[in-house]
Amino acid sequence: MRSPKDFFAPLAVGAPQPPRQIPVRPSRMIHFFDPGNEKMAAKVPDLAKKTDVLLGNLEDAVRADRKEAARAGLVSIAKATDFGRTQLWTRVNSLDSPWVLDDLITLVTEIGDKLDVIMIPKVEGAQDIHYVDRLLAQLEARAGLTEPLLVHAILETASGVANVEEIAGASPRMQGISLGPADLAASRRMKTTRVGGGHPGYLVRTDPVGEDLNEGRTTYQQDLWHYTVARMVDACAMNGILPYYGPFGDIRDVVACEDQFRNAFLLGCVGAWSLHPVQIDIAKKVFSPSPADVAWARRVIAEMGDGTGAVMIDGKMQDDASVKQCRVVVELADELAATDPELAAAYDAATKEIQS
Ligand SMILES: CC(=O)SCCNC(=O)CCNC(=O)[C@H](O)C(C)(C)COP(=O)(O)OP(=O)(O)OC[C@H]1O[C@@H](n2cnc3c(N)ncnc32)[C@H](O)[C@@H]1OP(=O)(O)O
Ligand SMILES: O=CC(=O)O
Ligand SMILES: [Mg+2]
């Protein structure tokens, strides 16, 4: 553990100063693509116009014999593409793999100035982040980078979940954490073969109404990921970094995908992964507060004046705490609206309507 006095000092001579705040930029969807897949790579310039984050994936879902091609593809795409406001992230291979060292050396020295965030899979504890932190500082110094790279951890091992608070606070570079339900299920020896989402067998049942135990009993499917997402959100919030839901593998089931994303949004996540173009608009919709919620929150803030005391609005009590909840919604809406004129117009129209 570094001394608090040294926490923000660069870890290598010539490396840039680590960040004190995580930059506020929309990241409702982290769109995964395989940079070695020509069809996907060809879509990157268009996808950059409609995504908050594009992530060149080098890890799972890229075949072992395509790892070098994916890495080289990402270097060419980063050099050739104007990403505009869209962030470029990468997911490197896991720290115990034969590829990760070359992933980091190549990407930081060749395209470190184009990358915003490096996602590290299968993080088990703070020691993994410390290793990456020092190596990135050395590579940043070698590459002459002036801006520090940020680090994002995937929460997908039982050990990572047990250590999530120390992972979230392990380095000033920590930008956020994503839930990785597939690897996490395997690591925990859970008995679901799905990539994220619910499971019909994980349920609660109402009490029996009579002698027949099968008669008239409703079942409710439960969320397998509730505990982990909530714990991840707390770990991120207490360290000033951002939580995300990860993959939803049933691409065809856009309805359940939207539900899973919305659960994460309501619990505090700022975004989710999109694995297929069809999931981009789902994430955009879900992780942007609705115009009606924004209008309501603006109204509560306006009617609460200096934000203290209690008032009644439409039969609902509002006080110092609820005005803080409303500020969370309005701050997020303002951040998103600043780069999205359509959203800004929808928020203003809903606000006018509620005022009239
Ligand atoms: C557990 C985890 O680690 S999750 C993270 C790792 N997994 C991933 O990154 C998976 C990323 N996604 C994919 O590989 C693909 O979307 C798949 C394999 C799921 C489905 O691919 P396909 O069967 O080709 O889907 P589909 O036929 O619907 O694709 C339609 C078009 O969209 C393209 N496309 C599909 N996914 C993507 C994507 N993520 N980004 C860009 N383009 C894509 C296809 O290449 C295809 O292009 P074409 O019209 O020029 O032929
Ligand atoms: O990497 C993601 C996962 O779910 O595993
Ligand atoms: Mg994984």
Side-chain angles (χ1 to χ4, degrees):
M1 185 76 173
R2 269 186 278 166
S3 135
K5 288 201 223 66
D6 294 336
F7 192 66
F8 291 100
L11 286 177
V13 175
Q17 195 77 31
R20 285 189 177 257
Q21 296 287 337
I22 297 309
V24 176
R25 296 176 71 181
S27 52
R28 292 163 290 186
M29 75 299 293
I30 303 168
H31 181 75
F32 274 58
F33 68 96
D34 172 355
N37 175 320
E38 282 176 16
K39 274 190 181 174
M40 287 196 197
K43 294 185 171 53
V44 165
D46 274 346
L47 289 172
K49 296 182 191 130
K50 53 189 242 174
T51 49
D52 295 336
V53 177
L54 275 171
L55 179 144
N57 176 37
L58 308 186
E59 201 226 9
D60 294 355
V62 175
R63 286 168 50 113
D65 62 358
R66 297 291 300 161
K67 294 288 186 186
E68 272 88 12
R71 189 193 297 140
L74 182 56
V75 170
S76 332
I77 290 167
K79 287 184 174 170
T81 310
D82 175 3
F83 292 93
R85 270 197 281 263
T86 296
Q87 301 178 57
L88 178 64
W89 296 18
T90 185
R91 176 170 81 167
V92 293
N93 285 285
S94 61
L95 297 178
D96 60 354
S97 74
W99 304 289
V100 65
L101 191 56
D102 287 333
D103 290 345
L104 289 168
I105 293 172
T106 306
L107 297 180
V108 178
T109 56
E110 296 263 343
I111 55 166
D113 56 335
K114 298 293 281 274
L115 281 174
D116 294 286
V117 176
I118 298 185
M119 186 182 271
I120 308 291
K122 301 173 180 60
V123 171
E124 302 207 318
Q127 70 278 7
D128 289 339
I129 303 299
H130 294 159
Y131 167 76
V132 171
D133 201 4
R134 178 79 73 174
L135 183 56
L136 286 181
Q138 293 168 342
L139 294 171
E140 286 168 343
R142 180 187 285 183
L145 297 183
T146 52
E147 293 297 324
L149 285 155
L150 301 181
V151 169
H152 182 109
I154 311 181
L155 194 60
E156 54 180 353
T157 65
S159 164
V161 176
N163 296 319
V164 65
E165 292 84 8
E166 65 166 46
I167 292 169
S171 160
R173 292 180 193 276
M174 280 300 295
Q175 177 275 343
I177 301 182
S178 288
L179 172 73
D183 270 301
L184 181 57
S187 169
R188 283 176 169 163
R189 305 188 68 73
M190 291 166 71
K191 306 301 182 294
T192 165
T193 53
R194 300 173 174 206
V195 175
H199 193 290
Y202 192 69
L203 49 81
V204 291
R205 187 182 300 270
T206 55
D207 284 354
V209 280
E211 288 303 306
D212 185 348
L213 297 182
N214 291 307
E215 181 84 10
R217 300 177 72 180
T218 312
T219 58
Y220 299 92
Q221 200 170 317
Q222 305 293 294
D223 183 358
L224 284 171
W225 308 109
H226 177 84
Y227 155 76
T228 317
V229 172
R231 189 157 170 204
M232 175 182 76
V233 167
D234 285 343
C236 288
M238 74 187 257
N239 284 286
I241 68 172
L242 305 174
Y244 299 79
Y245 177 77
F248 188 87
D250 191 343
I251 308 291
R252 193 188 45 91
D253 192 351
V254 291
V255 176
C257 176
E258 181 168 334
D259 294 336
Q260 180 79 67
F261 284 6
R262 184 164 293 104
N263 287 351
F265 173 69
L266 288 170
L267 278 181
C269 290
V270 299
W273 300 2
S274 64
L275 303 184
H276 185 281
V278 78
Q279 294 182 336
I280 293 172
D281 284 339
I282 302 174
K284 188 171 182 178
K285 172 180 166 195
V286 170
F287 290 98
S288 309
S290 74
D293 284 350
V294 174
W296 169 258
R298 285 177 174 167
R299 181 175 165 201
V300 172
I301 292 170
E303 296 201 21
M304 275 293 291
D306 73 354
T308 64
V311 296
M312 184 82 110
I313 306 178
D314 292 351
K316 297 178 180 64
M317 187 283 302
Q318 308 298 329
D319 69 0
D320 312 48
S322 63
V323 84
K324 285 183 201 150
Q325 292 174 266
C326 290
R327 282 191 198 121
V328 169
V329 172
V330 169
E331 276 166 22
L332 174 60
D334 288 347
E335 280 159 24
L336 298 174
T339 55
D340 187 337
E342 228 174 87
L343 206 50
Y347 290 155
D348 288 345
T351 305
K352 277 201 192 95
E353 200 179 310
I354 209 172
Q355 283 165 348
S356 61

